[in-house]
C-alpha cells in the first residue's frame, strides 16, 4: 500500500502541478469549462493555495536550478523521459483502436532505446517517424465514453478530474511497463528508485519549461484558478478528441505525466 501511495503521488506530481493565487473570487470562478462541474470549488481553491506555497518553496527553485544545466543535457533528459512515456502510450493506442499508431510508437521506442541511447537522442524523428503524441488511460476512458466527472485539484498533483484521477491508477495496476519492471517486480537491472527518479525528473522538466508561462498566466489572469481550470479542461478535451485546434496552454504537450506518466 505504501508503494502504491508513493507511486501515485510521484507519477502525477510536478507535471500536473500548477499553483494559484486563490484570493478574491469573482464572476470567472462561477463559470465551468464546458460541461465539467467544479463540484468542490471551495476545497479546490484551498488546495490550490497549498500547491502555490509548495511550488514556491520546492518545485520552482528546483526547476530554476535545472534550467542552469546546458541545453543539450536538458533536451536529452526530455527525450529520454518521452521515450519512457511511450510505454504508457502504446497500450492506450491499442485500447483506443489506433493500431497503426501503436505500431509506429513501438518502432519509435525500439529505435530510440537502441540507436538513440535509451532515448536521449530522438533518432526516430530524424529518420522520418511521425511526431510523438502521448496517450494515457484518462484519455482512453474518455474515448470509451466515460464522462470526466467533477473537476478536482489534488494536493501536490494539481488539476485533474475524477476520470483522469481514476485513469492514473491504471499505471500501478499493470498499465505501465516501466512501473512493472522497476516497482512491481524485483529485477536485477532496475529498482524502485529508477521509477521514482524518472517520474520526479519528468515533473521537474515540465516545470522548468514552463516557468515563464506560469508567471505570465498568473500575471495576466483576473482569476488564475479559473484560468488554469479552463485551460486544463480544454487541453484534456482536445487530446481525447485528437484535435489539432490551438489551445492557449503551456508549451509542454502534456499536463499529466506526469505527467500523467
Amino acid at each position: 500500500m505504501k508503494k502504491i501511495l508513493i507511486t501515485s503521488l510521484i507519477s502525477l506530481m510536478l507535471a500536473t502541478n500548477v499553483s494559484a493565487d486563490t484570493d478574491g473570487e469573482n464572476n470567472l470562478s462561477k463559470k465551468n469549462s464546458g460541461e465539467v462541474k467544479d463540484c468542490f470549488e471551495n476545497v479546490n481553491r484551498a488546495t490550490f493555495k497549498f500547491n502555490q506555497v509548495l511550488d514556491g518553496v520546492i518545485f520552482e527553485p528546483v526547476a530554476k536550478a535545472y534550467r542552469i544545466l546546458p541545453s543539450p543535457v536538458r533536451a536529452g533528459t526530455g527525450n529520454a523521459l518521452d521515450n519512457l512515456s511511450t510505454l504508457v502510450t502504446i497500450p492506450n493506442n491499442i485500447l483506443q483502436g489506433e493500431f497503426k499508431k501503436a505500431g509506429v510508437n513501438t518502432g519509435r521506442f525500439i529505435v530510440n532505446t537502441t540507436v538513440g541511447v535509451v532515448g536521449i537522442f530522438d533518432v526516430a524523428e530524424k529518420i522520418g517517424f511521425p511526431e510523438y503524441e502521448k496517450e494515457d488511460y484518462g484519455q482512453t476512458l474518455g474515448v470509451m465514453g466515460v464522462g470526466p466527472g467533477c473537476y478536482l485539484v489534488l494536493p501536490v498533483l494539481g488539476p485533474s478530474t475524477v476520470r483522469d484521477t481514476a485513469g492514473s491508477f491504471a499505471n500501478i495496476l499493470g498499465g505501465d511497463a516501466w512501473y512493472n519492471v522497476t516497482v512491481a517486480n524485483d529485477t536485477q537491472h532496475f529498482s524502485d528508485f529508477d521509477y521514482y527518479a524518472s517520474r520526479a525528473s519528468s515533473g521537474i522538466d515540465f516545470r522548468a519549461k514552463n516557468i515563464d508561462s506560469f508567471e505570465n498566466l498568473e500575471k495576466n489572469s483576473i482569476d488564475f484558478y479559473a484560468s488554469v481550470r479552463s485551460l486544463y479542461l480544454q487541453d484534456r478535451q482536445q487530446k481525447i478528441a485528437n484535435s489539432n485546434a490551438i489551445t492557449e496552454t503551456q508549451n509542454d504537450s502534456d499536463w499529466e505525466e506526469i505527467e500523467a506518466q
Side-chain angles (χ1 to χ4, degrees):
M1 179 60 70
K2 181 178 178 181
K3 286 186 176 182
I4 291 177
L5 291 175
I6 292 175
T7 302
S8 62
L9 284 173
I10 295 178
S11 296
L12 291 176
M13 57 186 287
L14 290 162
T16 57
N17 180 59
V18 181
S19 59
D21 181 358
T22 61
D23 294 333
E25 295 186 27
N26 53 45
N27 288 336
L28 273 178
S29 69
K30 308 301 181 183
K31 298 179 181 179
N32 291 318
S33 299
E35 298 180 356
V36 181
K37 295 183 179 180
D38 194 347
C39 310
F40 315 106
E41 182 171 355
N42 291 337
V43 176
N44 284 340
R45 283 183 175 274
T47 305
F48 238 55
K49 189 66 175 180
F50 169 79
N51 287 347
Q52 180 184 31
V53 174
L54 206 60
D55 182 69
V57 173
I58 301 176
F59 301 147
E60 186 176 6
V62 173
K64 287 182 176 179
Y66 175 78
R67 291 182 70 169
I68 298 175
L69 295 175
S71 179
V73 174
R74 287 184 279 116
T77 300
N79 289 340
L81 293 170
D82 281 345
N83 190 53
L84 279 178
S85 72
T86 308
L87 296 174
V88 173
T89 293
I90 293 171
N92 280 285
N93 287 146
I94 295 172
L95 289 172
Q96 294 177 30
E98 296 179 333
F99 302 108
K100 181 177 179 180
K101 287 186 177 181
V104 169
N105 285 326
T106 299
R108 285 186 62 91
F109 179 75
I110 294 172
V111 170
N112 285 341
T113 301
T114 54
V115 183
V117 191
V118 300
I120 294 175
F121 304 101
D122 191 355
V123 178
E125 184 174 353
K126 296 186 185 324
I127 64 176
F129 278 78
E131 183 178 353
Y132 174 55
E133 296 180 4
K134 297 179 182 178
E135 297 285 346
D136 58 57
Y137 290 98
Q139 289 170 252
T140 295
L141 289 174
V143 171
M144 292 178 174
V146 177
C150 294
Y151 176 68
L152 299 175
V153 179
L154 305 176
V156 181
L157 317 184
S160 186
T161 62
V162 172
R163 178 186 61 207
D164 289 343
T165 301
S168 70
F169 281 96
N171 291 340
I172 59 178
L173 295 175
D176 183 350
W178 179 231
Y179 176 85
N180 288 337
V181 300
T182 52
V183 178
N185 300 292
D186 292 329
T187 66
Q188 297 179 350
H189 305 289
F190 303 104
S191 66
D192 294 13
F193 174 80
D194 296 313
Y195 182 82
Y196 300 142
S198 68
R199 304 315 307 154
S201 298
S202 181
I204 293 170
D205 183 66
F206 172 85
R207 187 67 178 93
K209 288 177 180 177
N210 291 288
I211 287 177
D212 295 333
S213 298
F214 286 138
E215 290 178 350
N216 290 334
L217 181 62
E218 183 174 12
K219 180 180 178 181
N220 296 311
S221 296
I222 298 174
D223 183 349
F224 189 32
Y225 170 87
S227 296
V228 170
R229 179 184 61 197
S230 176
L231 292 175
Y232 175 79
L233 294 175
Q234 288 180 59
D235 182 69
R236 292 298 293 167
Q237 184 56 40
Q238 289 189 7
K239 283 180 170 60
I240 291 169
N242 291 323
S243 170
N244 293 321
I246 296 175
T247 300
E248 184 186 354
T249 186
Q250 310 311 310
N251 63 21
D252 191 90
S253 63
D254 205 331
W255 282 80
E256 350 356 79
E257 190 49 20
I258 125 187
E259 339 124 283
Q261 325 263 334

